[in-house]
Amino acid sequence: MWVLMLPALVPVLLFSVGPLLYGIGLAFTDARNTRVHQTEFVGLENFTRLLTDAEFWSSFQIGAIWAVSVTVLQFLAALGLALLLNEKLRFSGLARVLSVVPWAMPPVVIGLMWKLVYHPDAGMLNDLLGTHINWLADFSLALPAIIVVGIWAGMPQTTVVLLAGLQNVPKELYEAGEMDGAGTWRRFWSITLPQLRPVIVAITSLDFVWNINQFGLVYVLTQGGPGGRTRLPMLFAYEEAFRYRMAGYASMLGLAMAIVVLAVLGLYLWRQMREAK
């Protein structure tokens, strides 16, 4: 049996488990991205530095705002779109295809496209509004601007999952609700949402993990600027590793974020399962 599993197990160990364990090990060293430095074990020194690093806590706060905002808003938008696509409307097939177009686009392409949309002089948004705002360089507008991009980029997969869940809701439940005199809103609240609960828990959990670990899209849009106002935790870890060459500290940042995400996600799933019982 183990022999049959080796072809699938070896790549997982080499490309997933191996790098993960290596990164965890680096978190407890003073490793640097230089040839002349000799790496030494420093224990919890990197963790102690992290706890007192104001820039990390600033990036963590920005990352929390980003992840929660994008996850919640893209879920609400995706739910509305999924309900619309679930109806038997004209050209619904074409609409379903168009709704997943952003899903097929790489984050770099999405970032470049939206940089053109937000361009202060030639951008479509400023043309529509008749303004000359530099959206991605404004201290108060940069974070909301990239949140909009995050919602647009992440909505398709959420829509597809919710649409699949809607199509699996038994039609008999809606027929029974109509016979009992339940209106549209009542049927949605009492039938649709309870039936979608497992799907909602799964997709919002995955979206939160994806969003809190976002890097490429935001890097292309702002590279963490202006003044660190859009510097997510993964951007901060990237800067520590490749700009300042502090590989050990960057690994500790990644490890800390993984622990935080697992803790928040575990609490969220526990509460959802408790409510479901």
Side-chain angles (χ1 to χ4, degrees), residues 116-117 119-133 135:
L116 294 175
V117 172
H119 195 278
D121 298 320
M124 182 179 68
L125 183 58
N126 279 329
D127 285 343
L128 291 174
L129 299 177
T131 59
H132 295 280
I133 301 173
W135 298 89

Side-chain angles (χ1 to χ4, degrees), residues 25-84:
L26 279 182
F28 299 95
T29 69
D30 64 347
R32 298 184 182 180
N33 292 331
T34 59
R35 295 181 179 179
V36 297
H37 178 73
Q38 185 175 358
T39 301
E40 296 181 359
F41 179 77
V42 295
L44 295 177
E45 184 177 316
N46 288 327
F47 183 72
T48 304
R49 175 185 171 186
L50 180 148
L51 293 178
T52 58
D53 192 339
E55 292 189 2
F56 165 73
W57 290 110
S58 175
S59 70
F60 180 79
Q61 182 182 11
I62 294 169
I65 294 172
W66 153 270
V68 173
S69 300
V70 173
T71 301
V72 172
L73 294 177
Q74 82 180 16
F75 165 72
L76 294 176
L79 180 59
L81 182 58
L83 290 170
L84 185 62

Side-chain angles (χ1 to χ4, degrees), residues 3 134 158 210 229:
V3 175
N134 195 345
T158 308
W210 173 259
R229 295 301 176 91

Side-chain angles (χ1 to χ4, degrees), residues 27 42 55 66 68 73 84 90 96-97 106 129 131 140 142 147 151 161 193 202 205 211 221 223:
V42 295
E55 292 189 2
W66 153 270
V68 173
L73 294 177
L84 185 62
R90 202 172 190 182
R96 291 178 183 180
V97 173
L129 299 177
T131 59
S140 59
I147 286 175
I151 294 169
V161 173
L193 281 184
S205 301
N211 290 324
L221 284 168
Q223 294 187 6

